[in-house]
Amino acid sequence: MKFVTSLLNRRAFVALAAASMLAGAMHSAPASAADVTIPIIVKDTTSFYWQIVLAGARKAGKDLGINVPELGAQAETDVNGQISILENAVAGNPAAVVIAPTEAKALGKPIDEAASKVKVIGIDSGADSKAFTSFLTTDNVQGGRVAADGLAAAIGAANGGKVEGKVALITALPGAGSLEQRAQGFKEQLKAKYPGLELIADKYADGQATTGLNIATDLITANPDLKGIFASNLIMAQGVGQAIAENSLAGKVGLIGFDSDEKLIKFLNDGVISGLVVQDPYRMGYDGIKTALAASKGEKVEANVDTGANLVTKDNMKDPKIDALLNPKLN
């Protein structure tokens, strides 16, 4: 009887040891690509710009064979909503997270906390955090300079070569890193290159196109000699473009917008908008996911990547490179 008991004990020990070794092997085996999840969190899932970013991320997920949940609030003004989305995403133990912070100061600490648990890749806009493993964005200061050059060219073309007169800047929201940088570049370029252009208004809106329309209408009414406006994001360009159109000022008041959609492209064709500074949001989404996957594997990635910006006018909008930026594939 003792022999049988001893034999059973030895068998139990061997079985337990084998199970332990198998569990260890399973734990140490790398997960397949299909098991990898990297969520992307944008500022606003409804606008055309962010839909392009998500399309790029979606394509990267398909190409790399990984899961890419597409997350974001319903409006760029919902800062607390984005913070909650980030916290919930990190709680799901993803391989990494890609995020476009809605507001620099508010997202700083949440990104620091997220990065203590998972690799965080930033896209589009910065935050008050040094915890990003990599950051992919347009050089927004340079984008603002490009806008100033475009507005100066439009004003010169409409005024016999004279680059002079009153101009205005309208920013969608205060505190958004990318928008503040565009404003910085625009104002720096005016001061450095165009002393004849006087910045008479530097206005903030509330993220709504109708507010951009009302601000522009008030500026036009108060300054009948206004020569140009820089509307530094897509929503503001929609509202300001509407104001230019309603007041029959196409070709008289130059307008430079930022980013593009069908409405802005039509404004460009109709001469309501003089030019658009267009980023590469598709690349931002695609390369954001690709970089996040590499970082999650411990591979070395670039700390900062400039995804580029181009001035689009009616004259160059049919160029193949520009056309691809204006008409990205969303599926």
Side-chain angles (χ1 to χ4, degrees):
M1 190 68 180
K2 290 182 179 179
F3 173 76
V4 173
T5 302
S6 178
L7 180 60
L8 289 173
N9 286 342
R10 284 200 301 272
R11 285 178 176 172
F13 176 78
V14 171
L16 182 61
S20 178
M21 290 175 65
L22 178 60
M26 289 177 66
H27 180 73
S28 62
S32 66
D35 296 327
V36 174
T37 295
I38 298 177
I40 181 168
I41 305 169
V42 296
K43 296 183 182 181
D44 167 10
T45 57
T46 63
S47 79
F48 186 66
Y49 177 84
W50 295 111
Q51 287 171 17
I52 300 171
V53 173
L54 292 176
R58 191 180 312 130
K59 183 63 164 62
K62 290 178 181 178
D63 289 351
L64 299 169
I66 63 175
N67 303 310
V68 180
E70 300 172 15
L71 309 175
Q74 295 295 300
E76 293 195 21
T77 51
D78 189 4
V79 178
N80 290 331
Q82 192 187 53
I83 292 172
S84 295
I85 290 168
L86 173 61
E87 291 170 346
N88 290 335
V90 172
N93 296 315
V97 172
V98 178
I99 185 169
T102 52
E103 203 276 327
K105 186 175 181 180
L107 268 293
K109 186 176 179 181
I111 287 172
D112 286 343
E113 292 174 352
S116 69
K117 303 169 185 175
V118 68
K119 300 288 187 183
V120 179
I121 306 301
I123 59 170
D124 185 78
S125 296
D128 292 347
S129 171
K130 295 181 180 179
F132 291 116
T133 300
S134 182
F135 187 61
L136 300 87
T137 186
T138 304
D139 181 341
N140 282 292
V141 174
Q142 178 60 20
R145 295 188 188 109
V146 170
D149 290 340
L151 189 60
I155 291 171
N159 294 278
K162 294 181 180 179
V163 183
E164 57 187 33
K166 298 177 180 178
V167 299
L169 166 64
I170 302 178
T171 302
L173 292 165
S178 59
L179 302 184
E180 297 295 348
Q181 290 164 2
R182 292 170 197 172
Q184 175 191 337
F186 180 74
K187 289 184 278 191
E188 287 177 353
Q189 195 77 337
L190 290 186
K191 186 175 181 179
K193 289 185 65 177
Y194 307 108
L197 296 180
E198 178 189 2
L199 183 65
I200 61 156
D202 182 0
K203 301 286 188 178
Y204 285 101
D206 58 1
Q208 303 299 315
T210 51
T211 308
L213 165 62
N214 293 336
I215 291 173
T217 300
D218 290 346
L219 285 171
I220 290 165
T221 301
N223 302 277
D225 54 347
L226 186 69
K227 296 298 183 182
I229 300 173
F230 172 37
S232 67
N233 83 337
L234 185 146
I235 302 300
M236 285 304 101
Q238 288 179 343
V240 178
Q242 192 65 36
I244 298 290
E246 289 180 0
N247 286 277
S248 301
L249 292 173
K252 298 176 183 177
V253 175
L255 170 59
I256 301 295
F258 218 100
D259 298 324
S260 68
D261 65 0
E262 288 185 5
K263 184 170 185 177
L264 297 191
I265 292 171
K266 185 177 187 304
F267 278 155
L268 187 62
N269 265 316
D270 294 345
V272 172
I273 284 179
S274 310
L276 296 169
V277 181
V278 177
Q279 307 177 80
D280 195 344
Y282 189 91
R283 178 188 171 192
M284 220 175 279
Y286 190 100
D287 285 1
I289 295 298
K290 185 178 178 182
T291 301
L293 180 60
S296 74
K297 295 177 179 179
E299 298 174 12
K300 186 177 180 180
V301 296
E302 292 292 329
N304 294 282
V305 178
D306 179 9
T307 53
N310 298 269
L311 180 66
V312 179
T313 65
K314 193 171 182 179
D315 292 336
N316 72 0
M317 64 188 299
K318 298 299 182 184
D319 292 353
K321 178 185 175 183
I322 299 299
D323 183 68
L325 294 173
L326 294 178
N327 300 289
K329 296 178 181 180
L330 295 184
N331 296 320

